[in-house]
Structures are given as structure tokens and as C-alpha cells.
Amino acid sequence: MASQPARRRRLEVEDIGDIAVVNFVDKKILDEQNIQMIGDDLFRLVDELGRRKVLLNFGNVDFMSSAALGKLITLHRKLQAVQGKLVLCKIAKDILDVFKITKLDRILTITPDEQSGLQSF
Amino acid sequence: MSGDPFSEDVTIPSDLAEAHLLQNRIEAALQANGYDEHAIFAIKLAVEEALVNAIKHGNQMDPDKRVHVNFQITTERFDVRITDEGPGFNPDDVPDPTVDDNIERPCGRGLLLIRGFMTEVMYHGRGNVVTMSKLRNGEPSASE
């Protein structure tokens, strides 16, 4: 367990129309190295794969610290810069409090479930 | 040990993996004392943010520096004291990450979350010591 984490898949991306629906493989978005890799994979969706509508589904996530928030803001800004949109959905109550306390719920679009997320683009 | 007051003094190196092992022990002790998932989430998050601050910003990841942690758990409340060996800081000097000009800055959100999820938070000395408390049935103090 102490070995270096491999470059494994951390995101599952499904295309629904022109929307990239992203599920997190890990239940905890915590470790700094993991967060860096998750960020890289998310940015690649926009910078290299040209996605303009990204829906992040947090249904599988039960813990997240502030270190991940910066990546989400950067992703939000990247999509804004290309007239795209980021939507977050299915966030557990405790994690939703993380967004509320940091007031990021005011700049990010958050919906209760995936269906309403898809409809918010 | 269910229901028994639990107290531990721990010194860990400036290593985030060691911090996570300690957090697992704290989580197990909270569960044994009947804390619900929301209280455990709040405490885990606050301890995570405080330990990351101590290791990264306080000790600057210096392998020769340590982080000292004392925590106590009763069925009523959780108390922790985290001391790093860094120069300390003034929490009032950290920019408010919720104002528009700072919203993209990476720093400051950890402190905000600690205050939001814990019942009491105090910094001591030169700012290298933080004490935090959470009443088991208390609501987050800063959550709106």
C-alpha cells in the first residue's frame, strides 16, 4: 500500500449527446497526488479533447477536502473561457456544506441529480 | 472501548501519509464513541485541513520537523490540539477566499472549512498551534 500510486483511471467519462458526464472512481478525493491527476484528466477533457459541456457526478464521492476545490474552479474558468459550462450534480449533504461554507455554490452550477444536471446546459 | 473517554498524544513526521493513518485512528475512535456520519465527516475534514496546513505551510514538508497532536474523545465532544514546528502565522492575514478577487486563489479555504465545521477554533502562540473542538451534537458554527 505504501508504493507510489500508479497512473490508474480515476475518472469514468460517458458521452450523453454533447455532454461529457464524469464519474469519480475514488470515494475520497483527498490525496494531493490523486487530486493533481484528477485535475490533469479533467483539464484534458477541455484542452485536448475539446469538450465544452462537462457534468461532474459526485454520487460516488463521500469525502473531499479543500485541495480539490481549486481544480474545480480552474475547470470552471477553462470552460467559461471557451463558452462552455461546468455543472456539478449528486453531491452528498456533507460535501455540499463544503461548497456552501466556501461560497463556491454561488459561482458553480450545482444540481441535485444527473437528470437535472443534463437539463441545465 | 465504546463510550470510554479516549485520549492520545501522537507525534508524526511531516508526511501526509502518516497524517492519514492518524486520521483513520481518530475516525475509528469516533465511531466507537457513537458519533454519527455527519459529525465524523466534519471532524475528519477539519483535522485533514489542519494537518495539511501544519505539514505543508507550517513545517514546509521538512522531514526533520514534526507535528504534535493531542486529541480527546468523549461521548459529548472531540478536542484536538495540533502543533507544528514552523514559524507560525496570523490567521487574520490570510485573504478571505470568499470575496470575488480571491475566489480563484488556492489558499484560505482550509481555514474557512475548519471554522465552518468545528464548534470552536483557536490559534495560540505564534500561530503554530491550533486547538479545535466539536460538540457531538453541535451544528457547524459557520454553515449558512
Side-chain angles (χ1 to χ4, degrees), chain A residues 29 58 61-70 72-73 88 91-106 108 110, chain B residues 38 41-42 44-46 48-49 97-98 103 108-110 112-114 116-117 140 142-144:
Chain A
I29 305 179
F58 282 77
V61 179
D62 60 22
F63 193 82
M64 189 180 80
S65 69
S66 70
L69 297 176
L72 298 181
I73 294 165
L88 283 54
I91 301 177
K93 181 196 172 298
D94 289 323
I95 297 178
L96 198 55
D97 283 343
V98 169
F99 287 93
K100 287 180 178 174
I101 290 169
T102 54
K103 295 190 167 62
L104 292 178
D105 60 327
R106 297 180 184 181
L108 298 171
I110 298 174
Chain B
H38 301 298
F41 179 94
K44 273 177 66 181
L45 186 68
E48 160 77 13
E49 301 290 350
T98 64
I103 203 81
R109 288 193 200 95
L112 198 62
L113 290 172
I114 289 171
F117 278 103
S143 180
E144 295 175 9

Side-chain angles (χ1 to χ4, degrees), chain B residues 17-39:
Chain B
E18 292 283 342
H20 291 151
L21 292 176
L22 172 59
Q23 285 165 268
N24 290 342
R25 287 214 302 282
I26 292 174
E27 181 175 2
L30 291 168
Q31 285 171 341
N33 272 279
Y35 284 64
D36 69 19
E37 60 178 312
H38 301 298

